[in-house]
Each structure stands twice: as C-alpha cells, then as structure tokens.
Amino acid sequence: MTVTLKIKKLTDKAIVPTYGTQFSAGADLCNAEEAPVVVEPGETRLVHTGLSFEIPEGCVGLIFARSGLASKRGLAPANKVGVIDSDYRGEVMVSLFNQSSLTQTIEYGDRIAQIAIVPFIKAQFELADELSDTVRGEGGFGSTGTK
C-alpha cells in the first residue's frame, strides 16, 4: 500500500526521508543540524529533522528507533515511540536518549530514527459493568509463561 505524504523542508539542510529497502516499513529520518549534536551518557537531546509532515487523516506517524543506532551506539527515542498526529504541522524532532556509557555524537545527515505511517482505528469508549470472559482472564505480566 502506498500513500502520498506531503512534507515541507523547514531548512535547506533538511533531508527528505528515504526507505532503506523496497520492503522497509519505516523511512529514515536524518539529523538536519549543521553542528554536531553531542549526547552524554544518560542524557536526552532533541534532534532536529528540519521537516514537517501532512499526515493523512486516519493515519498516524510513528517514530521508532533505528535498530543499529540503538543496539550499537545506545541511542534511541526517549519516549520509545513518538506519535505524530495528522493535525500536527510543526517540525518533527527526535528526542534521542543515550543509554550507553559513552558520549555519542550525531553528525549532520546521520540517520537518527525511522517514521512509519500507520492507519488506526479510533475507539468510542463505553463504560460497562462486566466484560466478556476469556481463558486468560485477569492474568497479567508473566501469566502466559516464558517458554
């Protein structure tokens, strides 16, 4: 499935997102800041993409970590998954958290996260006195085992 997504470059240095492969679900977002962004261990820094998006109604933009950046350098979005609603028109920024013990530097053009455009279902919440029974019932964390 393909959808046209309007984007606006807020700076000449902004880099249009690209997909790594034909079947990639997320398009790479890049650092648009000319000066290196230094992220100390345990620190969170907002990194500018220089882009704003017009996400179609009924869809959401979800910002995820890039697996290599997270596993090799310890840099991942601080909020784990960023949510960009379809009515937001401001700059998309990524709050990168350094979970490693080393100072990390993000250079201009580095791929910092990925965005996936995902359709969603909006719920109408209805209060109920009872919910239907299931085999699992109220079993929570760890209730289905580990193997």
Side-chain angles (χ1 to χ4, degrees):
M1 176 181 192
T2 303
V3 64
T4 298
L5 185 69
K6 291 182 181 179
I7 62 173
K8 181 179 179 181
K9 288 178 79 169
L10 305 174
T11 172
D12 290 338
K13 297 292 183 185
I15 299 168
V16 175
T18 58
Y19 291 95
T21 71
Q22 176 185 357
F23 298 107
S24 295
D28 292 327
L29 296 172
C30 297
N31 174 23
E33 298 183 43
E34 289 187 64
V37 177
V38 177
V39 189
E40 298 294 339
E43 181 181 43
T44 298
R45 293 285 307 270
L46 279 177
V47 182
H48 294 262
T49 68
L51 299 169
S52 59
F53 294 77
E54 187 175 314
I55 295 170
E57 186 177 331
C59 291
V60 62
L62 298 177
I63 306 293
F64 296 103
R66 294 195 71 254
S67 58
L69 193 65
S71 62
K72 294 177 182 173
R73 296 184 54 196
L75 292 170
N79 53 344
K80 305 306 178 210
V81 177
V83 175
I84 304 169
D85 296 312
S86 64
D87 58 349
Y88 177 67
R89 294 295 184 270
E91 181 182 9
V92 170
M93 293 184 282
V94 178
S95 59
L96 280 184
F97 174 68
N98 183 354
Q99 55 196 355
S100 80
S101 60
L102 303 172
T103 299
Q104 299 292 332
T105 303
I106 305 298
E107 302 289 344
Y108 166 74
D110 283 352
R111 296 175 294 169
I112 55 171
Q114 55 185 321
I115 184 170
I117 307 302
V118 180
F120 67 88
I121 298 171
K122 193 157 192 166
Q124 180 175 338
F125 298 99
E126 177 183 323
L127 289 176
D129 292 329
E130 297 292 328
L131 302 177
S132 62
D133 288 330
T134 66
V135 173
R136 183 176 183 171
E138 294 181 16
F141 296 105
S143 66
T144 62
T146 58
K147 297 204 184 257

